[in-house]
Amino acid sequence: MPESSHPLPPQACSLIIFGGSGDLARRKLLPALYNLLLDGMLPADYAVLGMGRKKMSDAEFRRTAREGVVKYSRQKLKEDVWTDFERRLFYVAGSLDDPKAYTDLRTRLVKTEADLHLPGSRIFYLAIPPTSIAMTVEGLQKAGMVLDRREGAAARKSLQAHAATDHHGLFSRVIVEKPIGRDLESAKEINAAVAKVFDEAQIFRIDHYLGKETVQNILVLRFANSIFDPIWNHQYIDHVQITVSEAEGVGSRATYYEEAGALRDMVQNHILQLLCLVAMEPPYSLDPEVVRNARMDVLRCLRPIAGNEVQKYTVRAQYSSGCVPGAEVPGYRREPGIKPDSTTETYVALKLFVENWRWSGVPFYLRTGKALAKRASEIAVYFKEIPQILFNTNPVAPLAPNVLTLNIQPEEGLSLRIISKVPGAKAKTHPVEMHFRHGEAFGAPSPEAYERLLLDVMAGDASLFMRRDAVEASWAWITPILEGWKTHGTKWLPEYEAGSMGPVEAERLIQSDGRNWHPL
Ligand code: BG6
């Protein structure tokens, strides 16, 4: 059953997608909007304008959108709903460095708003490379498409008024896709450029992991149950592992990925946010600013990894040829569009510490990679071993510790490993797993992250978005690692076979602490 009401209602608006002819729009954004309509969640009045360099008519844009929905939508296409949806899809071609593109967009937007009786509230979705962000927001402002930014400042005064609206209830909001920069300096420049045009309350920096159901469930699990919080600390937890394993290789995103690599692409944003949710202190309310402050505090506590420490705490590697389920994969350097001598990492593993009272001495191990044996994202919380008495007396085969595993995808749920007695006369024990599966418990498949997040922007709720200081804090932690790799990294990256679980160096990273990666 879809939720019948969002905590704050989404408001009538136009959504303008920059990068409208791109992959993200086709695979994620348009299918997400279609699903919201199907579930009766979209406001009655809305329009979607795609904007892109590629020349396309409205009809062609609608056709591409339809293909995207047929291929990637969570729910099947229904002709009557589709007909309704496509009537509200439009396309404007233009190049972001051409002032005319913005005046063309404005003319089209104003006409569409008049034709569809839309109030004039606008959401600008920047699904474009980070180098184009500054010119785009400036172009929007110059063309007079952004409402007065003071609306945002007014809204910020009231923590309750999440939606930055003017006195007519109108708003302009901007969604900024990742990557926001490629290091701390460039992230600051982008943030500063956006802040010249939009107030912080109007800016929604998206990290789609925060929109995943199972990721939101981390806080519910921790703070809506009485049994977890008392043991959620260094006294009971031995270590935590966060894994985002992908079976797909670099695919068609060579140009972007060559410049990014796994640390920038996955750790700087998604995985650090997962870490924040696992490690944060209980917020005193669910107010967006309070929750975002609590997440931010974790980033402030990360022990830096710099200089030659990268050799001790990090592993980077690249996939060589191999087989992932259902496909043969060429080595990364032989993928189309990749330099034959590329040193971009497609895998990274890290050991880090959150230096505060709760987590003192508890290592967090993170790993992510492409072209691995399977797609699986999960968080495994390993509890401390019990004393070596009673059932745990064999020093060469100690009992397996309790592990709480939060499965983020593709399985959504959680499991708890506990030790049980094997039936029979002997006092023999064996680890067993208790499972909870979202699908089994709640029936319907969970909404896609982008559905929830688009709805939140229409409602003006920024809880699940990244604040400027958080983006910069995570870059401040990541950048010294990138620099350490430059000065202290090996010239040739270790390799791992596509379809394996990663390089032996990553095994060594964790095994040298007497631990193992959690089997996926
Ligand atoms: C994106 C990365 O942000 O997240 C991709 O750029 C990655 O490289 C993707 O594949 C993973 O998202 P999901 O939702 O499929 O886990």
Side-chain angles (χ1 to χ4, degrees):
M1 271 278 293
E3 261 173 46
S4 58
S5 65
H6 193 262
L8 295 165
Q11 294 149 300
C13 60
S14 306
L15 175 68
I16 300 100
I17 305 176
F18 288 88
S21 54
D23 236 29
L24 188 76
R26 197 169 55 96
R27 284 171 178 251
K28 298 285 185 190
L29 305 181
L30 293 161
L33 290 163
Y34 169 76
N35 278 285
L36 286 172
L37 177 66
L38 200 60
D39 287 347
M41 309 283 278
L42 276 189
D45 297 317
Y46 69 93
V48 180
L49 278 88
M51 164 122 197
R53 195 185 278 272
K54 192 169 169 187
K55 289 210 164 34
M56 253 198 283
S57 64
D58 286 346
E60 282 164 324
F61 181 55
R62 290 169 183 170
R63 247 197 319 278
T64 325
R66 185 183 167 110
E67 280 163 21
V69 169
V70 169
K71 198 157 172 201
Y72 301 108
S73 167
R74 176 170 63 85
Q75 305 177 87
K76 282 217 163 78
L77 186 129
K78 281 193 184 153
E79 286 303 336
D80 53 334
V81 181
W82 173 258
T83 310
D84 231 33
F85 185 59
E86 75 165 359
R87 277 191 305 119
R88 290 172 178 270
L89 298 185
F90 308 92
Y91 186 80
V92 182
S95 169
L96 296 175
D97 53 7
D98 177 5
K100 186 171 169 300
Y102 300 91
T103 46
D104 286 354
L105 175 64
R106 177 162 199 227
T107 311
R108 193 68 199 278
L109 186 55
V110 170
K111 180 173 180 320
T112 307
E113 286 170 348
D115 290 350
L116 297 178
H117 309 290
L118 296 175
S121 290
R122 293 158 186 174
I123 297 173
F124 302 100
Y125 198 123
L126 308 185
I128 52 179
T131 43
S132 305
I133 292 176
M135 76 171 92
T136 306
V137 289
E138 197 186 315
L140 286 173
Q141 188 184 40
K142 283 195 176 142
M145 274 184 276
V146 182
L147 287 179
D148 189 340
R149 62 201 293 269
R150 278 170 305 176
E151 56 161 359
R156 222 182 17 194
K157 284 197 191 121
S158 156
L159 276 182
Q160 298 310 315
H162 310 312
T165 56
D166 74 359
H167 58 280
H168 301 298
L170 292 185
F171 59 82
S172 296
R173 294 176 189 146
V174 64
I175 306 178
V176 188
E177 253 298 336
K178 67 169 271 274
I180 300 184
R182 58 186 330 274
D183 53 19
L184 178 58
E185 201 184 327
S186 52
K188 280 184 169 170
E189 278 166 19
I190 292 170
N191 280 335
V194 178
K196 277 192 194 151
V197 179
F198 295 93
D199 189 84
E200 183 64 23
Q202 297 170 286
I203 305 170
F204 293 73
R205 297 178 195 83
I206 207 160
D207 182 322
H208 78 278
Y209 266 58
L210 291 176
K212 289 182 189 278
E213 277 293 328
T214 34
V215 173
Q216 292 168 49
N217 198 32
I218 298 171
L219 290 197
V220 177
L221 182 83
R222 287 189 56 197
F223 303 128
N225 293 292
S226 60
I227 59 171
F228 294 115
D229 190 54
I231 55 170
W232 210 257
N233 57 49
H234 68 101
Q235 280 173 304
Y236 295 95
I237 292 180
D238 177 72
H239 74 280
V240 178
Q241 298 185 23
I242 304 182
T243 303
V244 178
S245 161
E246 297 189 278
E248 278 190 26
V250 65
S252 57
R253 297 165 74 227
T255 318
Y256 155 74
Y257 200 84
E258 258 299 80
E259 287 300 309
L263 188 73
R264 290 188 179 94
D265 185 47
M266 295 298 290
V267 181
Q268 182 272 331
N269 34 67
H270 308 321
I271 298 185
L272 283 187
Q273 284 307 303
L274 295 180
L275 171 76
C276 288
L277 292 168
V278 173
M280 70 193 245
E281 295 302 313
Y284 66 80
S285 83
L286 289 179
D287 183 278
E289 290 316 309
V290 177
V291 177
R292 298 205 295 181
N293 284 342
R295 291 205 305 259
M296 175 68 200
D297 284 343
V298 177
L299 297 173
R300 286 201 182 100
C301 295
L302 296 182
R303 185 197 289 175
I305 301 175
N308 62 8
E309 284 174 338
V310 291
Q311 289 165 359
K312 187 168 171 202
Y313 293 107
T314 76
V315 168
R316 56 198 298 259
Q318 209 177 55
Y319 62 83
S320 58
S321 59
C323 280
V324 299
E328 285 201 9
V329 180
Y332 177 71
R333 289 189 215 121
R334 300 177 66 188
E335 295 269 22
I338 302 294
K339 288 188 242 113
D341 59 351
S342 165
T343 55
T344 299
E345 82 284 357
T346 59
Y347 179 99
V348 64
L350 303 156
K351 171 181 166 184
L352 63 88
F353 290 92
V354 177
E355 290 199 308
N356 62 15
W357 189 270
R358 182 185 290 271
W359 296 112
S360 174
V362 179
F364 285 76
Y365 299 94
L366 319 180
R367 60 178 166 160
T368 183
K370 296 220 179 268
L372 293 173
K374 67 192 277 200
R375 177 172 183 253
S377 301
E378 60 172 47
I379 298 167
V381 180
Y382 274 68
F383 290 91
K384 292 206 160 153
E385 284 182 1
I386 52 159
Q388 288 214 320
I389 50 174
L390 302 180
F391 303 109
N392 194 21
T393 48
N394 183 351
V396 287
L399 287 184
N402 297 126
V403 185
L404 177 67
T405 310
L406 314 181
N407 305 104
I408 293 166
Q409 61 191 23
E411 292 262 288
E412 297 185 309
L414 62 89
S415 62
L416 181 63
R417 181 166 81 192
I418 48 180
I419 301 297
S420 173
K421 181 178 178 308
V422 178
K426 291 193 183 141
K428 209 171 159 204
T429 60
H430 194 72
V432 293
E433 301 263 346
M434 290 170 68
H435 293 290
F436 152 76
R437 301 264 169 266
H438 273 238
E440 283 166 20
F442 299 115
S446 303
E448 286 279 329
Y450 279 97
E451 295 175 33
R452 166 68 196 257
L453 295 172
L454 284 168
L455 212 55
D456 280 2
V457 183
M458 292 180 195
D461 181 345
S463 316
L464 299 178
F465 292 80
M466 299 286 294
R467 219 166 47 190
R468 178 177 184 167
D469 55 357
V471 170
E472 292 179 8
S474 69
W475 276 120
W477 188 78
I478 290 286
T479 305
I481 300 178
L482 293 165
E483 284 164 0
W485 282 347
K486 255 197 241 152
T487 46
H488 298 275
T490 45
K491 187 155 186 294
W492 290 105
L493 291 183
E495 290 190 341
Y496 59 99
E497 195 182 326
S500 69
M501 266 326 294
V504 286
E505 287 77 1
E507 300 297 330
R508 281 190 214 126
L509 176 84
I510 193 164
Q511 281 171 2
S512 61
D513 292 341
R515 302 179 175 107
N516 284 299
W517 290 112
H518 189 69
L520 297 180

